[in-house]
mmCIF file of all heavy atoms in Angstrom:
data_model
loop_
_atom_site.group_PDB
_atom_site.id
_atom_site.type_symbol
_atom_site.label_atom_id
_atom_site.label_comp_id
_atom_site.label_asym_id
_atom_site.label_seq_id
_atom_site.Cartn_x
_atom_site.Cartn_y
_atom_site.Cartn_z
ATOM 1 N N HIS N 37 -60.672 79.360 61.284
ATOM 2 C CA HIS N 37 -59.516 80.263 61.386
ATOM 3 C C HIS N 37 -59.759 81.131 62.620
ATOM 4 O O HIS N 37 -60.752 81.869 62.675
ATOM 5 C CB HIS N 37 -59.386 81.130 60.135
ATOM 6 C CG HIS N 37 -58.043 81.783 60.012
ATOM 7 N ND1 HIS N 37 -57.506 82.568 61.008
ATOM 8 C CD2 HIS N 37 -57.113 81.746 59.035
ATOM 9 C CE1 HIS N 37 -56.308 82.987 60.631
ATOM 10 N NE2 HIS N 37 -56.035 82.503 59.438
ATOM 11 N N LYS N 42 -56.858 88.704 60.570
ATOM 12 C CA LYS N 42 -55.433 88.770 60.205
ATOM 13 C C LYS N 42 -55.116 87.874 59.011
ATOM 14 O O LYS N 42 -53.983 87.802 58.555
ATOM 15 C CB LYS N 42 -54.578 88.310 61.393
ATOM 16 C CG LYS N 42 -54.614 89.232 62.573
ATOM 17 C CD LYS N 42 -53.577 88.776 63.592
ATOM 18 C CE LYS N 42 -53.857 89.393 64.935
ATOM 19 N NZ LYS N 42 -53.461 88.544 66.056
ATOM 20 N N SER N 43 -56.103 87.122 58.557
ATOM 21 C CA SER N 43 -55.871 86.134 57.499
ATOM 22 C C SER N 43 -55.704 86.779 56.134
ATOM 23 O O SER N 43 -56.386 87.751 55.800
ATOM 24 C CB SER N 43 -57.048 85.162 57.449
ATOM 25 O OG SER N 43 -57.109 84.518 56.200
ATOM 26 N N ARG N 44 -54.802 86.217 55.354
ATOM 27 C CA ARG N 44 -54.651 86.656 53.967
ATOM 28 C C ARG N 44 -55.130 85.524 53.053
ATOM 29 O O ARG N 44 -56.001 85.712 52.220
ATOM 30 C CB ARG N 44 -53.162 86.937 53.738
ATOM 31 C CG ARG N 44 -52.867 87.646 52.473
ATOM 32 C CD ARG N 44 -51.463 88.256 52.525
ATOM 33 N NE ARG N 44 -51.014 88.522 51.187
ATOM 34 C CZ ARG N 44 -50.103 87.797 50.560
ATOM 35 N NH1 ARG N 44 -49.496 86.801 51.157
ATOM 36 N NH2 ARG N 44 -49.780 88.091 49.313
ATOM 37 N N VAL N 45 -54.599 84.329 53.293
ATOM 38 C CA VAL N 45 -54.847 83.221 52.373
ATOM 39 C C VAL N 45 -56.256 82.655 52.541
ATOM 40 O O VAL N 45 -57.013 82.531 51.570
ATOM 41 C CB VAL N 45 -53.791 82.107 52.588
ATOM 42 C CG1 VAL N 45 -54.059 80.940 51.643
ATOM 43 C CG2 VAL N 45 -52.401 82.662 52.389
ATOM 44 N N GLN N 46 -56.624 82.315 53.759
ATOM 45 C CA GLN N 46 -57.934 81.692 53.976
ATOM 46 C C GLN N 46 -59.070 82.654 53.652
ATOM 47 O O GLN N 46 -60.099 82.251 53.119
ATOM 48 C CB GLN N 46 -58.049 81.183 55.419
ATOM 49 C CG GLN N 46 -57.165 79.985 55.700
ATOM 50 C CD GLN N 46 -57.641 78.725 54.976
ATOM 51 O OE1 GLN N 46 -58.795 78.595 54.597
ATOM 52 N NE2 GLN N 46 -56.730 77.788 54.782
ATOM 53 N N LYS N 47 -58.849 83.926 53.974
ATOM 54 C CA LYS N 47 -59.885 84.915 53.662
ATOM 55 C C LYS N 47 -60.102 84.971 52.144
ATOM 56 O O LYS N 47 -61.225 85.034 51.654
ATOM 57 C CB LYS N 47 -59.464 86.291 54.187
ATOM 58 C CG LYS N 47 -60.628 87.248 54.338
ATOM 59 C CD LYS N 47 -60.161 88.637 54.659
ATOM 60 C CE LYS N 47 -59.950 88.837 56.154
ATOM 61 N NZ LYS N 47 -59.425 90.152 56.485
ATOM 62 N N PRO N 93 -56.162 76.886 58.031
ATOM 63 C CA PRO N 93 -54.704 76.967 57.961
ATOM 64 C C PRO N 93 -54.109 75.789 58.723
ATOM 65 O O PRO N 93 -54.716 75.309 59.691
ATOM 66 C CB PRO N 93 -54.386 78.297 58.666
ATOM 67 C CG PRO N 93 -55.544 78.540 59.578
ATOM 68 C CD PRO N 93 -56.741 77.901 58.946
ATOM 69 N N PHE N 94 -52.966 75.316 58.273
ATOM 70 C CA PHE N 94 -52.287 74.218 58.975
ATOM 71 C C PHE N 94 -51.639 74.812 60.230
ATOM 72 O O PHE N 94 -50.841 75.744 60.139
ATOM 73 C CB PHE N 94 -51.210 73.642 58.041
ATOM 74 C CG PHE N 94 -50.919 72.193 58.246
ATOM 75 C CD1 PHE N 94 -51.906 71.300 58.627
ATOM 76 C CD2 PHE N 94 -49.639 71.694 58.012
ATOM 77 C CE1 PHE N 94 -51.630 69.942 58.791
ATOM 78 C CE2 PHE N 94 -49.357 70.351 58.163
ATOM 79 C CZ PHE N 94 -50.344 69.477 58.559
ATOM 80 N N TYR N 95 -52.042 74.317 61.388
ATOM 81 C CA TYR N 95 -51.514 74.807 62.668
ATOM 82 C C TYR N 95 -50.863 73.648 63.405
ATOM 83 O O TYR N 95 -51.543 72.675 63.753
ATOM 84 C CB TYR N 95 -52.658 75.375 63.527
ATOM 85 C CG TYR N 95 -52.996 76.833 63.271
ATOM 86 C CD1 TYR N 95 -52.465 77.536 62.191
ATOM 87 C CD2 TYR N 95 -53.856 77.520 64.124
ATOM 88 C CE1 TYR N 95 -52.786 78.871 61.969
ATOM 89 C CE2 TYR N 95 -54.172 78.857 63.913
ATOM 90 C CZ TYR N 95 -53.640 79.525 62.839
ATOM 91 O OH TYR N 95 -53.961 80.847 62.626
ATOM 92 N N TRP N 96 -49.592 73.776 63.644
ATOM 93 C CA TRP N 96 -48.861 72.735 64.352
ATOM 94 C C TRP N 96 -49.182 71.344 63.814
ATOM 95 O O TRP N 96 -49.566 70.457 64.536
ATOM 96 C CB TRP N 96 -49.053 72.842 65.879
ATOM 97 C CG TRP N 96 -48.331 74.054 66.407
ATOM 98 C CD1 TRP N 96 -48.879 75.199 66.903
ATOM 99 C CD2 TRP N 96 -46.917 74.270 66.404
ATOM 100 N NE1 TRP N 96 -47.903 76.115 67.202
ATOM 101 C CE2 TRP N 96 -46.688 75.566 66.915
ATOM 102 C CE3 TRP N 96 -45.808 73.508 66.007
ATOM 103 C CZ2 TRP N 96 -45.395 76.114 67.041
ATOM 104 C CZ3 TRP N 96 -44.536 74.043 66.145
ATOM 105 C CH2 TRP N 96 -44.354 75.329 66.663
ATOM 106 N N TYR N 97 -49.073 71.253 62.487
ATOM 107 C CA TYR N 97 -49.237 69.976 61.776
ATOM 108 C C TYR N 97 -50.640 69.406 61.931
ATOM 109 O O TYR N 97 -50.843 68.193 61.811
ATOM 110 C CB TYR N 97 -48.159 68.959 62.211
ATOM 111 C CG TYR N 97 -46.788 69.575 62.124
ATOM 112 C CD1 TYR N 97 -46.103 69.994 63.269
ATOM 113 C CD2 TYR N 97 -46.204 69.822 60.893
ATOM 114 C CE1 TYR N 97 -44.877 70.632 63.184
ATOM 115 C CE2 TYR N 97 -44.977 70.462 60.785
ATOM 116 C CZ TYR N 97 -44.328 70.869 61.931
ATOM 117 O OH TYR N 97 -43.117 71.512 61.824
ATOM 118 N N SER N 134 -54.128 75.529 53.979
ATOM 119 C CA SER N 134 -53.028 76.418 53.594
ATOM 120 C C SER N 134 -51.894 76.173 54.582
ATOM 121 O O SER N 134 -52.126 76.076 55.787
ATOM 122 C CB SER N 134 -53.473 77.886 53.616
ATOM 123 O OG SER N 134 -53.932 78.258 54.908
ATOM 124 N N ALA N 135 -50.697 76.029 54.040
ATOM 125 C CA ALA N 135 -49.537 75.727 54.892
ATOM 126 C C ALA N 135 -48.455 76.766 54.662
ATOM 127 O O ALA N 135 -48.178 77.138 53.510
ATOM 128 C CB ALA N 135 -49.004 74.333 54.572
ATOM 129 N N GLY N 136 -47.850 77.205 55.758
ATOM 130 C CA GLY N 136 -46.754 78.162 55.635
ATOM 131 C C GLY N 136 -45.567 77.551 54.911
ATOM 132 O O GLY N 136 -44.921 78.189 54.079
ATOM 133 N N GLY N 137 -45.280 76.300 55.210
ATOM 134 C CA GLY N 137 -44.105 75.634 54.650
ATOM 135 C C GLY N 137 -44.260 75.330 53.170
ATOM 136 O O GLY N 137 -45.345 74.968 52.722
ATOM 137 N N TYR N 142 -41.721 69.581 53.220
ATOM 138 C CA TYR N 142 -42.446 68.389 53.665
ATOM 139 C C TYR N 142 -41.920 67.168 52.926
ATOM 140 O O TYR N 142 -42.213 66.958 51.756
ATOM 141 C CB TYR N 142 -43.953 68.561 53.420
ATOM 142 C CG TYR N 142 -44.579 69.502 54.417
ATOM 143 C CD1 TYR N 142 -44.680 70.860 54.158
ATOM 144 C CD2 TYR N 142 -45.034 69.035 55.645
ATOM 145 C CE1 TYR N 142 -45.239 71.732 55.087
ATOM 146 C CE2 TYR N 142 -45.588 69.892 56.583
ATOM 147 C CZ TYR N 142 -45.691 71.232 56.300
ATOM 148 O OH TYR N 142 -46.225 72.079 57.226
ATOM 149 N N ASN N 148 -39.629 69.691 57.815
ATOM 150 C CA ASN N 148 -40.793 69.047 58.448
ATOM 151 C C ASN N 148 -40.758 67.517 58.341
ATOM 152 O O ASN N 148 -41.726 66.840 58.722
ATOM 153 C CB ASN N 148 -42.096 69.589 57.866
ATOM 154 C CG ASN N 148 -42.341 71.032 58.292
ATOM 155 O OD1 ASN N 148 -42.161 71.351 59.463
ATOM 156 N ND2 ASN N 148 -42.708 71.896 57.371
ATOM 157 N N CYS N 179 -47.476 79.643 52.001
ATOM 158 C CA CYS N 179 -48.384 80.780 52.205
ATOM 159 C C CYS N 179 -47.694 82.013 52.774
ATOM 160 O O CYS N 179 -48.207 83.116 52.643
ATOM 161 C CB CYS N 179 -49.509 80.370 53.144
ATOM 162 S SG CYS N 179 -50.552 79.153 52.375
HETATM 163 C C1 LIG V 304 -50.199 78.826 65.444
HETATM 164 C C2 LIG V 304 -49.661 78.576 64.066
HETATM 165 C C3 LIG V 304 -49.178 77.327 63.749
HETATM 166 C C4 LIG V 304 -48.711 77.066 62.452
HETATM 167 N N1 LIG V 304 -48.272 75.807 62.153
HETATM 168 C C5 LIG V 304 -47.858 75.528 60.891
HETATM 169 C C6 LIG V 304 -47.447 74.204 60.552
HETATM 170 O O1 LIG V 304 -47.445 73.282 61.366
HETATM 171 N N2 LIG V 304 -47.036 73.984 59.284
HETATM 172 C C7 LIG V 304 -47.030 74.968 58.327
HETATM 173 O O2 LIG V 304 -46.668 74.684 57.178
HETATM 174 N N3 LIG V 304 -47.437 76.238 58.614
HETATM 175 C C8 LIG V 304 -47.850 76.530 59.862
HETATM 176 N N4 LIG V 304 -48.289 77.791 60.179
HETATM 177 C C9 LIG V 304 -48.412 78.793 59.090
HETATM 178 C C10 LIG V 304 -49.887 78.903 58.630
HETATM 179 O O3 LIG V 304 -50.371 77.660 58.162
HETATM 180 C C11 LIG V 304 -50.036 79.954 57.542
HETATM 181 O O4 LIG V 304 -49.561 81.175 58.048
HETATM 182 C C12 LIG V 304 -51.492 80.081 57.126
HETATM 183 O O5 LIG V 304 -51.909 78.923 56.434
HETATM 184 C C13 LIG V 304 -51.713 81.277 56.215
HETATM 185 O O6 LIG V 304 -53.113 81.469 56.081
HETATM 186 P P1 LIG V 304 -53.839 82.810 56.570
HETATM 187 O O7 LIG V 304 -53.238 83.950 55.797
HETATM 188 O O8 LIG V 304 -55.272 82.591 56.244
HETATM 189 O O9 LIG V 304 -53.613 82.916 58.061
HETATM 190 C C14 LIG V 304 -48.717 78.094 61.462
HETATM 191 C C15 LIG V 304 -49.177 79.369 61.820
HETATM 192 C C16 LIG V 304 -49.640 79.612 63.097
HETATM 193 C C17 LIG V 304 -50.130 81.007 63.447
#
Side-chain angles (χ1 to χ4, degrees):
H37 196 305
K42 292 188 197 148
S43 159
R44 192 163 160 254
V45 179
Q46 290 291 338
K47 200 188 274 177
F94 210 34
Y95 274 10
W96 289 110
Y97 309 104
S134 59
Y142 285 91
N148 290 315
C179 293

